């Protein structure tokens, strides 16, 4: 069993919880290789995907994960809901609560939206990304992918490069790495660093080329232009020159090191097309892990072995 009923931030998870989720995900990954990719485990349980922001991989992988566990998945799309008629998030949540669902996955532009839902609903809440705050299942699938590729998590040095100040992915990945004994290093131009990078618990660097030879993982972030109030650098070309991952920079990494990106990518800005498509890139592996990790999260939150047949 997990310590908490919800996964809203990395604070909800202990190091043991993380290991349990990653180990459980490994057995579900095996199911995902079968011809018939379905288990009866969550039959009769209702899972609602409540997405108020655009999403491809997070939403699809939660949806596929719930189907593979035989749960009844319901998808909510803000643009075709009563939200466009002015209904508040709180009222939408109360409406859903009245329909007795077992788990809600929420993505919302406001940080804290998952906590608000937890106040008015009895079911488990999973944060699928809240504003610039956190995206804990992304961090879990990233840890899973690193562990698969490098055989361990403890002692790894993971460089998280780019738009740290707008990134909920970094918001969860930094504490997640710390919990498993890895070292996060955040690398960005000063305009994309948070005001107090020192309080995050990561090493802070501004020169990517200097740090590359010491990394086990180079994790690139998309520049979140939609969240910035002004252009944080003179041009995309200049950003790519100083902070973009390209073949020459990949050569500076140790030979065992890997490249990751949560997607969606801006090819030619934070990552060049040849790096994204290279054999050292784990980007599609991250997507694949996402399904198994989200199956594990749903399974464990809804009662684990007590909920019915195990994997
Ligand atoms: C990210 C997100 O939406 O937070 N993508 C994802 O979930 N895989 C990162 C981004 O939008 O850049």
């Amino acid at each position: 069993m997990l310590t908490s009923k919800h996964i809203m931030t990395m604070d909800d998870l202990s190091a043991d919880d993380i290991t349990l989720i990653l180990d459980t995900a490994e057995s579900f990954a095996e199911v995902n290789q079968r011809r018939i990719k379905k288990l009866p485990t969550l039959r009769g349980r209702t899972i609602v995907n409540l997405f108020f922001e655009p999403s491809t991989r997070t939403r699809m992988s939660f949806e596929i994960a719930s189907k593979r566990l035989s749960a009844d998945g319901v998808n909510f799309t803000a643009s075709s809901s009563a939200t466009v008629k002015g209904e508040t998030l709180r009222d939408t949540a109360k409406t859903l609560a009245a329909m007795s669902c077992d788990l809600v996955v929420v993505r919302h532009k406001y940080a804290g939206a998952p906590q608000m839902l937890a106040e008015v609903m009895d079911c488990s809440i999973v944060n699928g990304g809240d504003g610039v705050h956190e995206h804990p299942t992304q961090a879990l699938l990233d840890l899973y992918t690193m562990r698969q590729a490098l055989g361990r998590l403890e002692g790894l040095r993971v460089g998280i490069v780019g738009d740290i100040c707008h990134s909920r992915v970094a918001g969860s990945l930094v504490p997640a790495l710390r919990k498993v004994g890895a070292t996060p290093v955040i690398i960005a131009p000063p305009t994309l660093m948070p005001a107090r990078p020192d309080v995050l618990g990561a090493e802070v660097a501004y020169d990517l080329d200097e740090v590359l030879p010491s990394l086990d993982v180079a994790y690139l972030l998309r520049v979140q232009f939609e969240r910035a109030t002004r252009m944080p650098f003179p041009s995309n070309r200049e950003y790519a020159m100083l902070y973009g991952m390209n073949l020459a920079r990949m050569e500076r990494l140790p030979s065992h090191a890997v490249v990751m990106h949560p997607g969606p990518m801006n090819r030619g800005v934070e990552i060049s097309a040849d790096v994204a498509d290279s054999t050292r890139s784990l980007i599609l592996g991250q997507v694949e892990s996402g399904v198994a990790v989200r199956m594990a999260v749903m399974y464990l939150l809804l009662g684990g072995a007590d909920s019915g047949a195990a994997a």
Side-chain angles (χ1 to χ4, degrees):
M1 283 291 279
L2 298 174
T3 318
S4 168
K5 174 180 166 184
H6 308 294
I7 303 183
M8 300 192 287
T9 75
M10 286 312 298
D11 283 343
D12 290 323
L13 298 169
S14 66
D16 285 345
D17 288 333
I18 294 174
T19 306
L20 178 62
I21 292 170
L22 303 192
D23 290 348
T24 307
E26 252 172 45
S27 58
F28 287 131
E30 186 267 313
V31 174
N32 289 336
Q33 299 306 320
R34 294 185 197 162
R35 199 169 68 86
I36 297 180
K37 307 172 182 57
K38 208 166 173 91
L39 296 169
T41 319
L42 296 183
R43 205 162 43 197
R45 314 302 293 273
T46 305
I47 297 180
V48 177
N49 269 329
L50 199 56
F51 277 60
F52 293 90
E53 267 196 346
S55 172
T56 306
R57 61 221 92 213
T58 304
R59 183 193 169 116
M60 293 274 293
S61 71
F62 271 112
E63 199 177 325
I64 291 173
S66 60
K67 287 193 193 310
R68 298 224 168 134
L69 294 173
S70 306
D72 296 316
V74 181
N75 287 317
F76 168 98
T77 311
S79 57
S80 58
S81 72
T83 306
V84 292
K85 301 180 185 170
E87 185 172 67
T88 63
L89 178 60
R90 188 175 285 270
D91 283 332
T92 305
K94 284 186 181 160
T95 306
L96 281 175
M99 296 187 210
S100 317
C101 40
D102 298 296
L103 190 149
V104 169
V105 181
V106 60
R107 169 169 287 197
H108 203 283
K109 68 177 178 207
Y110 291 125
Q115 284 77 2
M116 206 231 76
L117 291 188
E119 278 169 25
V120 293
M121 302 184 78
D122 283 335
C123 67
S124 289
I125 309 290
V126 175
N127 181 0
D130 63 330
V132 297
H133 183 216
E134 285 222 30
H135 191 353
T137 60
Q138 178 70 43
L140 291 168
L141 75 89
D142 291 333
L143 294 183
Y144 180 90
T145 311
M146 287 177 208
R147 194 174 80 163
Q148 292 286 108
L150 300 168
R152 70 191 162 101
L153 291 172
E154 206 177 334
L156 293 182
R157 260 175 86 76
V158 179
I160 307 171
V161 190
D163 191 356
I164 309 289
C165 71
H166 298 114
S167 176
R168 56 193 175 205
V169 173
S172 286
L173 189 54
V174 167
L177 288 165
R178 281 166 52 87
K179 276 176 197 261
V180 298
T183 305
V185 187
I186 52 175
I187 309 148
T191 50
L192 290 176
M193 273 292 184
R196 289 284 313 274
D198 53 311
V199 300
L200 297 179
E203 284 182 27
V204 179
Y206 296 92
D207 185 337
L208 176 60
D209 288 313
E210 208 170 86
V211 183
L212 286 172
S214 72
L215 298 178
D216 299 294
V217 179
Y219 191 106
L220 292 319
L221 295 172
R222 181 175 68 88
V223 179
Q224 314 221 333
F225 294 107
E226 76 279 16
R227 298 197 195 283
T229 47
R230 62 190 160 76
M231 186 72 173
F233 39 76
S235 69
N236 285 351
R237 199 171 147 269
E238 177 154 333
Y239 181 83
M241 247 163 60
L242 291 171
Y243 291 95
M245 183 54 71
N246 52 33
L247 280 183
R249 288 213 164 94
M250 197 166 73
E251 291 298 310
R252 290 180 63 82
L253 289 167
S255 57
H256 69 274
V258 291
V259 175
M260 297 175 67
H261 190 305
M265 290 181 272
N266 281 323
R267 286 173 182 253
V269 185
E270 71 273 3
I271 189 165
S272 67
D274 38 20
V275 171
D277 300 329
S278 80
T279 51
R280 295 175 74 177
S281 151
L282 303 183
I283 297 169
L284 290 177
Q286 288 170 265
V287 177
E288 186 182 342
S289 309
V291 176
V293 167
R294 288 171 175 132
M295 286 168 82
V297 160
M298 290 172 172
Y299 169 74
L300 292 168
L301 284 176
L302 292 181
D306 305 334
S307 68

